[in-house]
Amino acid sequence: MSESPVSAPSRLALRAGLVAAALLMLGALALFYFSLGGKSAAQAADSTEVTVTAKGCEPNAISVPAGKRRFTVINGSERAIEWEILDGVMVLEERENIAPGMHQQLSAQLTPGEYAMTCGLLSNPRGTLTVTAGDGSERMTEVSARALIGPLAEYRVYLTLRGRALTQAAEQLQQQIADGDLAAAQQAYRDARAADQQMALAVGLFSDLDQRLNARADYFAQREQDPEFMGFQRLAYGLFEQQSLDGLLPVAEQLNRDVADLRAGLRAEGVPAPQLVRGAGRVLQAWHDQQQGQAQLSELAQADLMNLQQGVDKVVSLVVPVLEQAHPEQAAQLAEANQALAAGVSEGSAPSVLPLTEALAAQLANVNPLLAAAN
């Protein structure tokens, strides 16, 4: 039996096919653009742009009205960068691990005042951010001090206990390095790092100490060989990547001095009420930004997240009862996001745990202004 002849497509059908293919390509490009952090026209119009180059911020001085403000941080340098808004030494907001040529959005609830901006390498000059009196929305950041007196007192006790654990583990780490015992030093590192991450939001209140304790090699001009590269990341590089104790004793000694300064600072100042929930969300978002693009978490990255989650879980357990009085729906959503991350954190699969981390960070950011009305 002969086959039926196949007729050639008409010119109209060919044109329709070409148009459909072009539309699909444009759609794919749009999805790719937004997956890389692209911004809508509305977001662009509402956003203040700052470009971080190899030498600093452009512009180096920014002025915005008070209230909830959006920033677009563009990486104009050739290495991954972080961008922070600092109130004195306290980190208010941050974005980490912005790849070269890429940009990220950052939203911040700002009250009038003078702030500083970090601008790429830690050796770069800082920029200034001036927040002027705005439209009144800045009042949303006034977390009720009375509603949070009890939670803040309990959290202070938690920090005291974690601070003691950090001191003991850091001293043990120094001793094991001095004794030349690599395996024991690795275990002491894990113990010290666990306490450091459990109290990460409080450590972030002191940006100078946080940089010495936790800054990654990417943020130093000479990376791992930079003499200013210290703290936990330098110790991890020696203990786990190089499998060597060479040169680590001075780093461990400096770590102990920084831990002592941290505990003294916390005893003197404690954690301000507006930073309790905001700080918990910030450290989770920072971890998320660092791990974006990873197919599988490293052992150390997974351990960091498990300990961060434990520290954030403490905060959530303290603020949910406060929220339940006036905002039961938001309290339930926060508790649900916290439970989801607690359940997923042990899996170690980056594609599954990254969305859970970002979701909890977003819930924490959402409830922070609500605490002002909970009393």
Side-chain angles (χ1 to χ4, degrees):
M1 187 173 64
S2 63
E3 296 181 351
S4 302
V6 178
S7 60
S10 67
R11 295 181 64 184
L12 181 60
L14 284 173
R15 287 179 180 175
L18 288 173
V19 170
L23 290 174
L24 286 172
M25 182 177 294
L26 288 173
L29 288 172
L31 286 173
F32 177 70
Y33 173 76
F34 285 112
S35 72
L36 295 178
K39 55 191 177 183
S40 67
Q43 287 177 325
D46 188 36
S47 182
T48 299
E49 284 193 358
V50 57
T51 300
V52 179
T53 70
K55 297 182 178 179
C57 289
E58 294 180 359
N60 188 252
I62 295 174
S63 180
V64 297
K68 187 173 184 178
R69 300 303 164 204
R70 186 191 306 274
F71 298 88
T72 300
V73 186
I74 304 168
N75 185 355
S77 73
E78 296 182 348
R79 60 169 67 190
I81 56 127
E82 67 173 349
W83 189 76
E84 298 174 328
I85 299 175
L86 305 175
D87 183 2
V89 299
M90 183 187 306
V91 180
L92 289 184
E93 298 290 349
E94 64 182 331
R95 279 289 180 273
E96 293 225 15
N97 202 34
I98 306 175
M102 306 303 292
H103 63 265
Q104 284 194 19
Q105 300 281 338
L106 179 150
S107 295
Q109 195 82 30
L110 297 170
T111 54
E114 295 288 334
Y115 303 89
M117 306 179 295
T118 59
C119 299
L121 294 178
L122 295 177
S123 54
N124 287 345
R126 290 178 173 176
T128 59
L129 172 63
T130 301
V131 180
T132 59
D135 55 8
S137 58
E138 66 271 22
R139 287 193 296 271
M140 292 293 289
T141 64
E142 296 174 1
V143 176
S144 167
R146 190 171 66 180
L148 292 175
I149 286 176
L152 285 171
E154 187 170 340
Y155 191 65
R156 196 180 186 97
V157 173
Y158 175 80
L159 289 179
T160 299
L161 296 175
R162 290 294 80 206
R164 287 176 186 169
L166 175 57
T167 296
Q168 292 171 358
E171 290 174 349
Q172 185 69 11
L173 173 59
Q174 180 179 328
Q175 185 61 52
Q176 299 299 344
I177 291 174
D179 292 344
D181 190 334
L182 177 62
Q186 289 173 332
Q187 184 55 52
Y189 171 91
R190 293 187 180 94
D191 295 340
R193 181 66 171 171
D196 171 71
Q197 293 297 281
Q198 287 160 358
M199 54 196 300
L201 87 84
V203 179
L205 299 178
F206 306 92
S207 64
D208 52 345
L209 284 172
D210 191 26
Q211 288 176 0
R212 289 206 299 273
L213 286 168
N214 298 309
R216 297 185 297 156
D218 291 344
Y219 303 144
F220 296 90
Q222 301 177 51
R223 299 180 186 273
E224 286 83 358
Q225 282 67 50
D226 197 300
E228 298 297 321
F229 180 42
M230 302 286 279
F232 281 105
Q233 300 294 341
R234 173 64 184 89
L235 290 162
Y237 174 67
L239 292 171
F240 298 99
E241 290 193 37
Q242 296 185 313
Q243 295 282 314
S244 170
L245 299 175
D246 291 348
L248 294 188
L249 186 56
V251 182
E253 292 170 345
Q254 180 62 52
L255 186 82
N256 271 286
R257 290 192 290 272
D258 290 336
V259 167
D261 289 345
L262 171 67
R263 294 187 65 194
L266 289 173
R267 282 195 296 271
E269 301 183 27
V271 175
Q275 279 294 322
L276 186 62
V277 171
R278 171 191 279 177
R282 177 177 53 76
V283 297
L284 276 181
Q285 185 66 51
W287 182 91
H288 171 275
D289 293 346
Q290 290 173 10
Q291 299 301 322
Q292 256 188 326
Q294 300 291 332
Q296 189 69 22
L297 300 178
S298 68
E299 176 194 343
L300 295 181
Q302 185 178 4
D304 277 356
L305 179 59
M306 293 181 71
N307 290 301
L308 279 173
Q309 188 277 327
Q310 291 173 11
V312 172
D313 180 74
K314 180 63 180 177
V315 172
V316 172
S317 71
L318 294 172
V319 301
V320 162
V322 176
L323 280 170
E324 284 176 337
Q325 298 174 21
H327 303 283
E329 182 178 350
Q330 287 81 0
Q333 291 171 351
L334 176 60
E336 182 179 353
N338 184 53
Q339 290 168 0
L341 179 58
V345 72
S346 60
E347 296 181 4
S349 168
S352 65
V353 80
L354 279 168
L356 297 175
T357 306
E358 191 168 38
L360 179 54
Q363 285 295 332
L364 288 162
N366 287 338
V367 304
N368 192 49
L370 297 178
L371 289 169
N375 189 17

